[in-house]
């Protein structure tokens, strides 16, 4: 079974501080995604990547940066954390069209910005 | 605008009853996936169903592209079925782009 691992599982950050969320997959998937989940909004795509050393903006990229240093690793960076970024963040991976097109999720990171 | 709409938003069942969850979409799609999420938990893939009907135990997924809808049927519900069910529409050419509904919160009472 495909595996996506996120760290940390939860984090408390201060407003204006820098936060880095990490994601590691052992699926040999080309595509990786960062989503945030908020009550009333469902899951929304922040950034995604389909190849190492390249990232793309999703639907809500403002205030976030992403980094894909290798096929296995994908990070989400909040340079100046704000209260509005309190949410649960999910990383996911997929093989892309033509392969196993299912989306596999990590366990999520609960981020609280105070 | 909202591309994927799920209904109902919430549902309460007596154990043993059946449930029909709906997902309607306003655009074309490559595929539809259904996920289950326990409160505070991750998303677990239930079905990858681009079209037609698929079965898995007490669950059945049906996607009708021409009618722009997908449904998830749960038969003989159990308390362990409680949680949130989300559908995700996949679009894109050359890359995958997923759009999620807001989910249906299901509570099964004994």
């Amino acid at each position: 079974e495909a595996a996506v691992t996120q760290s940390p599982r939860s984090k408390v950050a201060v407003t204006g501080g820098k936060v880095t969320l990490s994601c590691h997959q052992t699926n040999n998937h080309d595509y990786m995604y960062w989503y945030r989940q908020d009550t009333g909004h469902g899951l929304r795509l922040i950034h995604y990547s389909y190849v190492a050393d390249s990232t793309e903006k999703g639907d809500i990229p403002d205030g976030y940066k992403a980094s894909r240093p290798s096929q296995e690793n994908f990070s989400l960076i909040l340079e100046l954390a704000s209260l509005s970024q309190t949410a649960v963040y999910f990383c996911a991976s997929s093989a892309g069209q033509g392969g196993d097109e299912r989306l596999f999720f990590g366990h999520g990171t609960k981020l609280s910005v105070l | 605008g909202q591309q994927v709409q799920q209904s109902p938003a919430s549902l309460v069942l007596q154990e043993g009853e059946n449930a029909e969850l709906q997902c309607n979409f306003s655009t074309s799609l490559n595929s539809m996936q259904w996920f289950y999420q326990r409160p505070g938990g991750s998303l677990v893939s239930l079905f990858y169903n681009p079209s037609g009907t698929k079965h898995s135990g007490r669950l059945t997924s049906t996607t009708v592209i021409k009618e722009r809808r997908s449904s998830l049927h749960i038969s003989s519900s159990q308390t362990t079925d409680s949680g949130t069910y989300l559908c995700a529409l996949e679009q894109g050419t050359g890359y995958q782009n997923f759009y999620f509904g807001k989910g249906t919160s299901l509570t099964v009472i004994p």
Side-chain angles (χ1 to χ4, degrees), chain A residues 63-113:
Chain A
Y64 303 94
K65 289 171 56 178
S67 174
R68 182 94 182 267
S70 63
Q71 187 194 38
E72 297 81 16
N73 296 293
F74 191 36
S75 298
L76 185 68
I77 303 145
L78 290 67
E79 295 278 4
L80 295 170
S82 66
L83 294 172
S84 64
Q85 292 177 314
T86 292
V88 180
Y89 292 85
F90 287 98
C91 177
S93 74
S94 70
Q97 292 180 355
D100 183 345
E101 297 185 16
R102 292 178 295 168
L103 197 56
F104 294 90
F105 282 88
H107 286 283
T109 296
K110 184 176 182 180
L111 174 65
S112 299
V113 182

Side-chain angles (χ1 to χ4, degrees), chain B residues 9-79:
Chain B
S10 63
L11 183 62
V12 180
L13 296 177
Q14 199 78 35
E15 193 170 26
E17 291 182 327
N18 299 331
E20 186 88 4
L21 281 56
Q22 297 290 341
C23 182
N24 294 284
F25 43 95
S26 58
T27 62
S28 61
L29 87 165
N30 292 333
S31 69
M32 177 65 71
Q33 293 191 47
W34 284 91
F35 295 89
Y36 168 73
Q37 184 178 29
R38 198 172 288 282
S42 183
L43 284 81
V44 177
S45 178
L46 297 175
F47 288 102
Y48 168 76
N49 187 7
S51 66
T53 299
K54 293 193 174 184
H55 303 277
S56 178
R58 294 181 294 105
L59 304 180
T60 301
S61 168
T62 300
T63 298
V64 184
I65 296 176
K66 288 173 63 175
E67 296 179 13
R68 297 196 168 177
R69 64 173 178 85
S70 181
S71 64
L72 179 68
H73 183 85
I74 304 172
S75 63
S76 303
S77 63
Q78 301 175 359
T79 56

Side-chain angles (χ1 to χ4, degrees), chain A:
Chain A
E1 181 73 8
V4 180
T5 305
Q6 292 182 232
S7 61
R9 293 292 293 269
S10 66
K11 183 171 180 65
V12 178
V14 296
T15 304
K18 183 177 180 178
V19 176
T20 300
L21 307 182
S22 299
C23 180
H24 179 80
Q25 55 107 351
T26 58
N27 310 324
N28 199 32
H29 285 169
D30 287 330
Y31 289 84
M32 296 187 75
Y33 311 81
W34 277 106
Y35 291 91
R36 67 176 279 174
Q37 186 175 40
D38 304 90
T39 303
H41 285 283
L43 276 89
R44 293 180 290 173
L45 181 64
I46 306 170
H47 285 287
Y48 66 97
S49 168
Y50 53 86
V51 67
D53 295 322
S54 178
T55 64
E56 305 293 333
K57 293 180 179 180
D59 299 320
I60 53 165
D62 293 345
Y64 303 94
K65 289 171 56 178
S67 174
R68 182 94 182 267
S70 63
Q71 187 194 38
E72 297 81 16
N73 296 293
F74 191 36
S75 298
L76 185 68
I77 303 145
L78 290 67
E79 295 278 4
L80 295 170
S82 66
L83 294 172
S84 64
Q85 292 177 314
T86 292
V88 180
Y89 292 85
F90 287 98
C91 177
S93 74
S94 70
Q97 292 180 355
D100 183 345
E101 297 185 16
R102 292 178 295 168
L103 197 56
F104 294 90
F105 282 88
H107 286 283
T109 296
K110 184 176 182 180
L111 174 65
S112 299
V113 182
L114 306 177

